[in-house]
């Protein structure tokens, strides 16, 4: 002990994991209030079409249930008994194959922690949702990117090649799939999924937007022991801020997931809100129906602008290529008018904006601004 010089300044950064220390910093999106102040517009004047949130919000019954719940001072049930029972009734899947998370995002992280050692590989098919790559990298995994084709369909042959090459002794352990995909809104066909399920890997099917598509791989989980389906209340049920998601897992991994899950991962508020949403399906489905109708209108109307090329979407957003104009400038011009959209400029998404489906008046405001800029 005497050899150690106590009380000396410690350079805490030298103690960090070197891979984390070398990681690029994450650029967080600006909080709504900050953006509102910066634009000099009150929050109610801002048309937020940049994060695929549900403009109709939670159902009134959900808000009433949240207000009435008396036990927020008590820790939530670590076994999520009531929530898993509710999900089981809703899905027609036994509760012992269902696990809820603080959003689907938490379950993605949990899956990576369950399967990945440093150096293990995963397959991600960009352009797609960013969290697969993010969570895999935090585990020190190798991210193998198999780009989608120009029409955003998967390159199945290229994915399969990573499992047959004899020089790769360590084939990828997880393949991340998204249907409908974010940011284009395209579906993965049942044929493509069934082909990928033959691979000796965990197939994670992220169905965050499935309620807007009316198609799901959920029933395929019955006869495939390597398929995980993830879903969320964030988009269709308007609970993004409360963080409620769930997964349907192969029976063989449930026991292991329980070992590594944080005991209180789903808050009492998220639990109450998710259960109340499942009790108010008619109301929420009506909003989903409205959003689907509005998506069709938005797609049609955006296609009338000669500088926009919308891609067909089955989700609650529409991706557009911006042609002959600066997409970043377009995004900024819309922002000055209080309309927020998502701008991309990376491989596969050059000069693109993604517009979330809002209420009809949000589409109207967007179309008016697009005519002005
Ligand atoms: C929004 C989104 C999620 C995140 O869902 P949460 O339940 O809010 O964590 C997951 N996957 C995709 C593709 C998404 O777009």
């Amino acid at each position: 002990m005497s050899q150690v010089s106590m009380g000396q300044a410690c350079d805490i950064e030298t103690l960090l994991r070197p891979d984390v220390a070398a990681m690029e910093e994450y650029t967080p999106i600006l909080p709504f209030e900050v953006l509102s102040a910066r634009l000099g517009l009150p929050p109610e004047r801002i048309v937020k079409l940049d994060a695929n949130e549900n403009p109709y919000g939670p159902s009134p019954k959900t808000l009433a249930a949240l207000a009435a719940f008396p036990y927020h001072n008590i820790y939530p049930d670590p076994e999520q008994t009531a929530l898993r029972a509710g999900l089981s009734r809703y899905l027609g899947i036994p509760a012992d194959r269902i696990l809820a998370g603080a959003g689907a995002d938490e379950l993605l992280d949990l899956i990576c922690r369950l399967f990945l050692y440093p150096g293990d590989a995963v397959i991600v098919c960009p352009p797609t949702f960013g969290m697969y790559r993010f969570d895999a990298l935090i585990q020190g995994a190798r991210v193998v990117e198999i780009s989608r084709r120009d029409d955003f369909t998967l390159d199945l042959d290229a994915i399969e090649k990573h499992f047959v090459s004899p020089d790769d002794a360590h084939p990828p352990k997880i393949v991340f799939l998204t249907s409908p995909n974010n940011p284009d809104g395209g579906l993965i066909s049942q044929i493509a999924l069934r082909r990928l399920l033959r691979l000796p890997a965990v197939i994670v099917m992220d169905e965050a937007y499935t309620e807007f598509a009316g198609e799901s791989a959920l029933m395929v989980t019955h006869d495939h022991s390597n398929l995980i389906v993830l879903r969320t209340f964030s988009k269709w049920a308007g609970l993004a801020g409360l963080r409620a998601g769930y997964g349907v897992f192969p029976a063989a991994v449930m026991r292991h997931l329980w070992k590594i899950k944080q005991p209180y991962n789903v808050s009492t508020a998220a639990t109450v809100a998710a259960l109340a949403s499942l009790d108010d399906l008619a109301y929420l489905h009506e909003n989903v129906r409205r959003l689907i109708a509005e998506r069709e209108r938005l797609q049609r109307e955006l296609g009338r602008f000669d500088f926009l090329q919308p891609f067909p979407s089955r989700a609650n957003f529409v991706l557009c290529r911006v042609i002959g104009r600066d997409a970043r400038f377009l995004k900024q011009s819309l922002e000055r008018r209080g309309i927020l959209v998502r701008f991309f400029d990376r491989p596969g998404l050059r000069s693109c904006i993604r517009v979330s489906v809002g209420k009809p008046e949000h589409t109207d405001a967007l179309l008016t601004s697009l005519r002005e800029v």
Side-chain angles (χ1 to χ4, degrees), residues 51-52 101-108 128-132 177-183 206-209 230-235 239-241 243-246 316-317 354:
N52 305 339
D105 279 0
E106 191 206 2
L107 297 171
L108 286 167
T128 192
F129 190 54
M131 294 307 288
Y132 318 131
L177 304 176
T178 324
S179 186
N181 188 43
N182 179 1
D206 181 345
E207 293 194 341
Y209 301 98
L230 298 182
R231 295 214 183 148
T232 177
F233 286 81
S234 293
K235 283 44 186 251
L239 302 188
R243 316 303 300 128
Y246 58 92
N316 65 338
F317 49 82
R354 190 196 63 199

Side-chain angles (χ1 to χ4, degrees), residues 253-276:
V253 303
M254 287 302 298
R255 193 159 68 84
H256 308 291
L257 276 169
W258 283 111
K259 296 184 217 166
I260 66 167
K261 177 186 91 62
Q262 297 276 343
Y264 307 125
N265 63 328
V266 182
S267 73
T268 49
T271 305
V272 168
L275 280 169

